[in-house]
Structures are given as C-alpha cells and as structure tokens.
Amino acid sequence: MGDCARRHQRYRERELKCRRGPTAEDLIGGYKQIIEWAHTFGIKVIGGTLPPNEGASSARESGEAVREAVNNWIRTSGAYDGVIDFEAATRDRNNPKRLRPEFDPGDHLHLNDAGYQAMADAVDLSLFSGKR
C-alpha cells in the first residue's frame, strides 16, 4: 500500500462549511495548487465530487452554489487524472440537493453504512492503475 500511496493521491473536500466560507474560486484555486504540486512529483490525483447536504444544520444556499460550481469544475476541467462522482452516487434523484433518504441517518450531511457503500461502489479501481 505504501507504493500506491506514494503514486496516487485522492483529494476530496467532504464538508463545505460556507457560512462565511470560501468561494468556488477559492476552493478551485486550492485544488489546482494541490494538483500541480502532486503532478510535479508524478503523483496521480483523483478528484471526488462533493455530495449534497441540503437540510444539514450547516447548509446554506450560498454553500450549495459553491458546491455545484466546484462539482462542475471537478467533472469538466480535466485537471484531475480521474474523477469519482460521489454526488451522483449519493444524491436523491427526486431532490438532487439532498442525500438519498436510504443513505441519510438524519443529519442530512453524513452517510450511513449503505451510503458509504454506495460511494465505495462508485470507485472505478482502474483509476488507480498505472503511473501518471
């Protein structure tokens, strides 16, 4: 696992706390710096989208706009060597700003075991093969 850890990095921000928090540009700028740094060392970087959190006590509409913008960038920028779409794996199809009810233990932010299993199932292990 040590060799794998040296060659691969998966950076994912799990919780956006955007009460007075960062803008999408702030987060994307930080992601770009991490990706650039990792790439200088030949480290493959896999990005993961941010799951929905509407209904959580920390959720704000401004934070939702940031989350959506960041997810769009993660999916479309080409900056990452691969992307895992955790949002698609965990969002409620009837209300995409919320977690699927069967994955939500009640706080609308964290996942239950079934939700974490859905995230694990969304990982294409071939993303971690080969070198950058």
Side-chain angles (χ1 to χ4, degrees):
M1 189 65 179
D3 185 51
C4 182
R6 283 191 300 274
R7 289 192 344 243
H8 297 78
Q9 176 182 351
R10 180 181 65 92
Y11 185 81
R12 183 178 73 83
E13 185 73 34
R14 171 60 185 96
E15 299 175 33
L16 277 179
K17 296 188 180 188
C18 292
R19 292 176 193 214
R20 293 177 303 276
T23 65
E25 293 75 23
D26 292 334
L27 290 172
I28 291 167
Y31 290 150
K32 286 179 178 179
Q33 288 178 357
I34 291 166
I35 294 165
E36 182 181 340
W37 175 86
H39 284 170
T40 63
F41 293 97
I43 299 170
K44 185 185 276 191
V45 184
I46 310 301
T49 57
L50 307 170
N53 65 358
E54 184 181 74
S57 62
S58 61
R60 300 291 179 269
E61 195 58 38
S62 61
E64 177 62 19
V66 169
R67 187 187 72 81
E68 289 177 9
V70 169
N71 280 351
N72 183 58
W73 179 82
I74 289 170
R75 288 182 182 112
T76 64
S77 70
Y80 288 101
D81 299 300
V83 172
I84 304 166
D85 200 339
F86 293 124
E87 179 194 35
T90 60
R91 72 177 169 234
D92 183 343
R93 285 159 184 78
N94 297 317
N95 185 354
K97 294 179 182 181
R98 287 188 173 254
L99 292 172
R100 289 175 62 174
E102 64 268 28
F103 298 158
D104 187 351
D107 69 358
H108 311 297
L109 180 63
H110 300 96
L111 299 164
N112 60 21
D113 289 346
Y116 286 118
Q117 185 62 56
M119 290 177 73
D121 292 342
V123 177
D124 176 0
L125 295 178
S126 70
L127 290 171
F128 300 97
S129 64
K131 295 184 179 185
R132 171 156 197 333

